[in-house]
Amino acid sequence: LFSPMAAYRVMDAFLPEEIETQKNGSFLVHTSYPPGQWILGFLMSFGKDVQVLEPEWMRKELEREAVAVARLYAPSYQAQEP
């Protein structure tokens, strides 16, 4: 799920048939990519303007990556348990 702030990038990165515009202006994208560091980096490049809804394993990978970045810039950062 991409925020409206990422609109121009969503339109450039995905096919029109993969994009579903939501009533609130966000974009639900249905697509698939092979797993790997590339897709993690691609998704992380959207920062707070993307939320992966599924698959769960990709959500966990992104969480680990985000925590690692947070600790790099804020060494005292402690991840909160959901």
Side-chain angles (χ1 to χ4, degrees), residues 1-2 10-11 14-30:
L1 186 63
F2 294 87
V10 170
M11 299 304 172
F14 302 100
L15 298 173
E17 57 269 21
E18 296 175 323
I19 304 167
E20 185 180 321
T21 303
Q22 304 297 291
K23 288 181 182 178
N24 66 359
S26 64
F27 302 94
L28 184 60
V29 175
H30 300 275

Side-chain angles (χ1 to χ4, degrees), residues 24-64:
N24 66 359
S26 64
F27 302 94
L28 184 60
V29 175
H30 300 275
T31 192
S32 72
Y33 288 96
Q37 192 61 39
W38 177 86
I39 191 61
L40 283 173
F42 173 68
L43 291 170
M44 292 291 292
S45 75
F46 286 90
K48 63 181 179 52
D49 291 320
V50 65
Q51 179 183 7
V52 173
L53 303 178
E54 58 181 310
E56 185 64 27
W57 64 265
M58 177 57 75
R59 288 177 55 87
K60 293 292 186 190
E61 287 292 318
L62 282 168
E63 177 184 7
R64 281 191 280 277

